[in-house]
Amino acid sequence: MLNSIKSFLDIPSPMSLPLLGHTYLFLPGVTSLVCPGQRLRCISDEPAEQLKSASKDFMDGLYKTLIGPPIWKLFETDGYKQLKCSHQIIYRTIESYLKDFQKMYKTNPNFLKETNPFMYTLLSNKNLSQDDCNMLAIEVFLGGIDTTATTMAFTLHYLAQNESVQEKVRQNLSDDSYLKACIKETLRLRPTAGANSRFLPQDTVIGGYLIPKNTLVSAFSSITSHSEEYFKNADQYIPDRWLRNSNTAFHKFASLPFGYGPRMCPGKRLVENEMVILLREILKNFKLETDSAHIGMVYRMNRIAEKSINIKFLHTNH
Ligand code: HEM
């Protein structure tokens, strides 16, 4: 059955979400041009704070708006108001930054190409309108906020819980592969996306069933990634299973935290690098401890921790 996931996730379907008078384009490939750290570095402190709180409201508002019957189409519900207000803040902030980049593109395109290839690619694409550029830039922020924060927080939680794994990370800090294995193991146990979904553009046979065109099909890899059928000791945090030299083999579609195919997450490489850099700095300087035992996930727009993740950071030189 897992092999059949490929048949529909591989569909190069264009996807757009018309909302709030704009169209979210989700163009594959475009956001993958963002360098690590760039999306945070180009925004100064105060607007970054505003964006942070607006993006939380945006995710909450979007969830409340899309989860129930669409009464927001008849009148503005509280969720819709939250969504609209946060969207305006995000849109205005990004728009003003984009204007600065546009000036730079006109006066010194080569400098922009070197220092911000993402913005250069957006602005030099003649098929994109001003609104398209704004929406794609917004995607880079919104696509990566909750997902990255949740994965970071859970990785710190698992490392705090598993002292021997934490020590092994510290001993292998110069080599990214063990830290990457920890991130993969966090995403296996606590993936921020419950499922990967596609609307079928044509009638498609999946796992022996004929599914009609336009049906929304979801592969719940958050279930298979937790299943003993695919992972031995599935409930345990064992990053070693992801190392190249480990003897454990498992199906490549059993854990798909970044999706698969033309619409898979374009932020994957960026976020892996960001998290490795941050985790390495934290573990160099701090020993992690926690009193929390099990922390599950709840569904919002992305899956997030069901409660606060509390971690003690103890200076290693004390
Ligand atoms: C741990 C962090 C992240 C996780 C777990 C994650 C996960 C995902 C998943 C599961 C999808 C849907 C893939 C599919 O349907 O096949 C997705 C799509 C997307 N992600 Fe991420 N993501 C993360 C970070 C980021 C970051 C940092 C960015 C931006 C820099 C980003 C931008 C996007 C965009 C734009 C899409 C839509 C792609 C499309 O539809 O073509 N993500 N992500």
Side-chain angles (χ1 to χ4, degrees), residues 9 15 26-28 31 34 39 139-140 143-144 147-148 151 187 192-193 196-198 256-260 262-268 270-271 274-275:
L9 287 184
M15 192 168 83
F26 304 125
L27 287 188
T31 41
V34 192
R39 70 200 161 106
E139 261 301 298
V140 176
T147 46
T148 312
T151 309
L187 283 166
T192 57
N196 297 297
S197 308
R198 300 287 184 271
L256 276 185
F258 293 101
Y260 179 80
R263 306 232 62 113
M264 80 172 283
C265 177
K268 181 174 186 279
L270 162 71
V271 83
E274 270 185 351
M275 286 196 288

Side-chain angles (χ1 to χ4, degrees), residues 106-232:
K106 279 188 187 138
T107 53
N108 199 345
N110 286 337
F111 179 71
L112 184 64
K113 193 176 183 178
E114 248 171 56
T115 54
N116 200 323
F118 171 61
M119 285 300 168
Y120 178 84
T121 308
L122 279 193
L123 298 174
S124 58
N125 188 332
K126 302 287 172 257
N127 296 322
L128 298 178
S129 68
Q130 171 72 50
D131 199 40
D132 293 344
C133 290
N134 290 356
M135 296 317 290
L136 282 163
I138 287 175
E139 261 301 298
V140 176
F141 285 93
L142 294 179
I145 290 174
D146 271 8
T147 46
T148 312
T150 302
T151 309
M152 259 311 284
F154 268 116
T155 304
L156 293 172
H157 167 75
Y158 282 122
L159 293 178
Q161 266 192 339
N162 294 276
E163 217 180 316
S164 59
V165 175
Q166 193 183 142
E167 206 33 57
K168 192 163 175 183
V169 173
R170 226 169 260 117
Q171 281 162 12
N172 290 283
L173 277 180
S174 55
D175 171 16
D176 289 354
S177 48
Y178 196 65
L179 265 176
K180 283 192 176 157
C182 292
I183 295 167
K184 282 185 186 149
E185 185 66 346
T186 302
L187 283 166
R188 181 185 72 79
L189 286 168
R190 294 291 180 266
T192 57
N196 297 297
S197 308
R198 300 287 184 271
F199 281 102
L200 298 180
Q202 71 243 345
D203 294 356
T204 310
V205 176
I206 302 175
Y209 296 91
L210 176 64
I211 318 277
K213 180 180 169 172
N214 293 332
T215 308
L216 177 66
V217 185
S218 298
F220 276 82
S221 53
S222 57
I223 297 176
T224 49
S225 71
H226 231 126
S227 153
E228 202 65 36
E229 194 181 338
Y230 301 107
F231 295 94
K232 205 171 159 210

